[in-house]
Amino acid sequence: MTRDVHVVGAGMIDFGELYDQSFDDLLESAYLELLDDVDHGVDPTADIDAAWYGTIDMAGEGSSGAAVAHATGLFEKPITRVENACATGSDAFRNASIAIRAGTADVALVIGAEKMLDDTAGLIQSAALERLWRGRGVTMPAFFGMRATRHMEEYGTTREQIAEVSVKNHANGTKYPHAHQQFECSVEDVAESPTVSYPLNLYDCCPVTDGACAVLLASEDRAEEFTDRPVRHAGWGLSTDTFQRGADAALTNFPASRHASSQAYERAGIAPDDVDVAEVHDCFSITELVTYEDLGFCGEGEGGRFVEEGHTRLDGDTPVNPSGGLLSKGHPIGATGVAQVAEVYEQLRDEAGAVQVDDPQVGLQHNIGIGRNATGAVSCVNVFERP
Amino acid sequence: MTRDVHVVGAGMIDFGELYDQSFDDLLESAYLELLDDVDHGVDPTADIDAAWYGTIDMAGEGSSGAAVAHATGLFEKPITRVENACATGSDAFRNASIAIRAGTADVALVIGAEKMLDDTAGLIQSAALERLWRGRGVTMPAFFGMRATRHMEEYGTTREQIAEVSVKNHANGTKYPHAHQQFECSVEDVAESPTVSYPLNLYDCCPVTDGACAVLLASEDRAEEFTDRPVRHAGWGLSTDTFQRGADAALTNFPASRHASSQAYERAGIAPDDVDVAEVHDCFSITELVTYEDLGFCGEGEGGRFVEEGHTRLDGDTPVNPSGGLLSKGHPIGATGVAQVAEVYEQLRDEAGAVQVDDPQVGLQHNIGIGRNATGAVSCVNVFERP
């Protein structure tokens, strides 16, 4: 029997176009926010045993654990860098939690950061899609756009229903202080925004954003040193899959999300309808709509109706992305999953301010990513329970 | 009380200039060698629960777990990519072992690969050193060369003693089938080979090498399904440090190696003189000499005399790098640490053929790396016990 693990603090910086901050600045800012957030305080050198660090190193300067040692002063400690495409932050979190469970650390830092707007970002975004696909014009929006048209064809999902995701998340984002692009938009605004890759328009796409986030984890026997209201990490799942499944590829779902969430639900001993609040991966509006189905929040093909009926709004029965999601908040890749954990932590402590949902008991965090190239997918899901 | 973890199989390919193999080919070849190596066989889909994958992605094509899913067919499984500079492979191994200990997997694959000779290798090797240092001509050989001159000045270590490391490792490498550069050399040959960065000459430097390696880990309760002679993973340590310590920087040792090995010895409940065979990080001859001291095989400043007296030869009392080390075998970064684990596994099973040392009970694997830039260091150490 291994130990339970709890989140005991979270430090988030304002996401945005942070040209005035270096990569080290981002790490340091998130870390200092975390130290400031821990209810009973933390003595870093004495308390923190190890760290896991997520970045895809988009700007080509953040690789290896030494970056975190220098930004935090946590010298001599074990610091592991994890990279797993868009699930980088959530998988760094997963590895840290597992290590505490194993007893190799009592208290661990998880920190994620990305500078998306410097240097090589465009180059790498392009390189993320395999030669075969890139040569045929399959950029990221095109790849997700194809999923949207297929979902429309297969299930009668409408352009308006897809836009409802953007409308909801941008409305939430105006109330979330750390969100990058804070503006409200209507279904018409989304439909009339410039086409990026049919049917996805500009407001269907998350912005390109710099950011960082840090959370602190502790074993069940140490958690109360740091807060009276720790949030339990109840379950987790990670799945690495392929899009090259030949005839059995539905193209309307992400099997990796299904496998990762099944693992997480099983570990947590819960069912999808136990989830009271979720931060999910809406890199594009269609991604969130499909994710409702993959996580079991609604049935196959019902994602469009589910968002249209308001189930996932702040006051719905299954609020999704109260923070504004990637669409409003932005998607600094290594930070994204860590920030979702921080947001669920705040929700389950009733500290989410203007975006607080009503009395959530169980929260979920989800990422889906295109791993290495357009033929591979990765998804990571973490489930949390309120104190 | 968490579970013990054992190595139950290892698959190694011939390291070399593998222009005829793609990155996927390297992964697949090492994986197939592993499947072939497991004594009682392994049913990958049924048996392997998860994977940890090490690469620094030198050639810009191997990032994220999806690369391993495609090369092995292990779809749907959790696959985490770890990067930690030259300790990438050994830290991937460490994370896998911790996860089994935590009970989140029973059987795990660890696989590391690097293509060093394609595309961007030179660019990244240069980028590994911070702007400040690079502008002053501090390449990797220059960085380690400065450590050598300091060691000579401080302890009277001689050029010939440093060369003895290369002589020993190249002699071993001629007997190790997977080594890249198989030739014997004398102290005079090393001294007369072209200067790279004083006092380091060409034969003091490891070659630039492609390669891959895979090992299989199992929990104590599953290990015997795969082999009657599992090798126990007895201890591990990871330390992330800095070289910017101001006045207290000795420059003649690597504090990260000291911290990582202390952690590993403590976890394994052993002392340095219990180690019967070691694969250590000889990226340059001087690195191995300093590492004798950092791992406690000899006293401070005694590394030169220690190698000269033959203690670390195949027939010495503390054989180091029977495989030929990085100097002969090569250093495909993500594969290096995994290959060292594979070699210690073979030694502790008495299966190391012409480089077998006499009846080893305890084996050690060690990496030291320059993390991110020349101001950061990372070291990972793993300790193993024979069946």
Side-chain angles (χ1 to χ4, degrees), chain A residues 2 23-24 52 61-67 69-70 74-85 91 94-95 98-99 101-102 104 131 236 238-242 244-245 259 263 267 371-372 375-376, chain B residues 2 23-24 52 61-67 69-70 74-85 91 94-95 98-99 101-102 104 131 236 238-242 244-245 259 263 267 371-372 375-376:
Chain A
T2 54
F23 188 84
D24 281 358
W52 277 259
E61 42 172 342
S63 69
S64 94
H70 276 268
L74 291 170
F75 296 118
E76 305 184 13
K77 313 270 183 177
I79 306 177
T80 294
R81 176 191 164 209
V82 166
E83 181 276 325
N84 221 339
D91 194 15
R94 168 182 163 272
N95 275 273
I98 289 171
R101 225 162 282 265
T104 194
R131 283 170 282 269
W236 64 95
L238 175 70
S239 175
T240 314
D241 214 316
T242 179
Q244 282 185 330
R245 294 217 157 211
H259 299 132
Q263 293 171 27
R267 284 206 170 88
R372 185 188 191 197
T375 62
Chain B
T2 55
F23 188 84
D24 281 358
W52 277 258
E61 44 171 341
S63 70
S64 95
H70 276 267
L74 291 171
F75 295 118
E76 304 182 14
K77 312 271 185 178
I79 306 177
T80 294
R81 176 192 164 207
V82 167
E83 180 275 325
N84 221 339
D91 194 16
R94 168 181 163 273
N95 274 274
I98 289 172
R101 224 162 281 264
T104 194
R131 281 170 282 268
W236 65 94
L238 175 69
S239 175
T240 314
D241 215 315
T242 180
Q244 283 185 329
R245 293 217 157 213
H259 299 132
Q263 293 171 27
R267 284 206 170 88
R372 185 188 191 196
T375 62

Side-chain angles (χ1 to χ4, degrees), chain A residues 208-222:
Chain A
V208 180
T209 303
D210 303 322
C213 187
V215 300
L216 194 68
L217 298 187
S219 63
E220 56 182 323
D221 30 320
R222 295 284 308 273

Side-chain angles (χ1 to χ4, degrees), chain B residues 222-237:
Chain B
R222 295 283 306 274
E224 292 194 353
E225 290 177 32
F226 303 102
T227 176
D228 297 334
R229 291 178 300 143
V231 166
R232 192 167 83 91
H233 182 212
W236 65 94

Side-chain angles (χ1 to χ4, degrees), chain B residues 274-291:
Chain B
D274 291 322
V275 175
D276 299 313
V277 62
E279 290 285 337
V280 312
H281 198 88
D282 57 330
C283 51
F284 299 94
S285 49
I286 183 66
T287 321
E288 177 171 320
L289 190 151
V290 168
T291 299

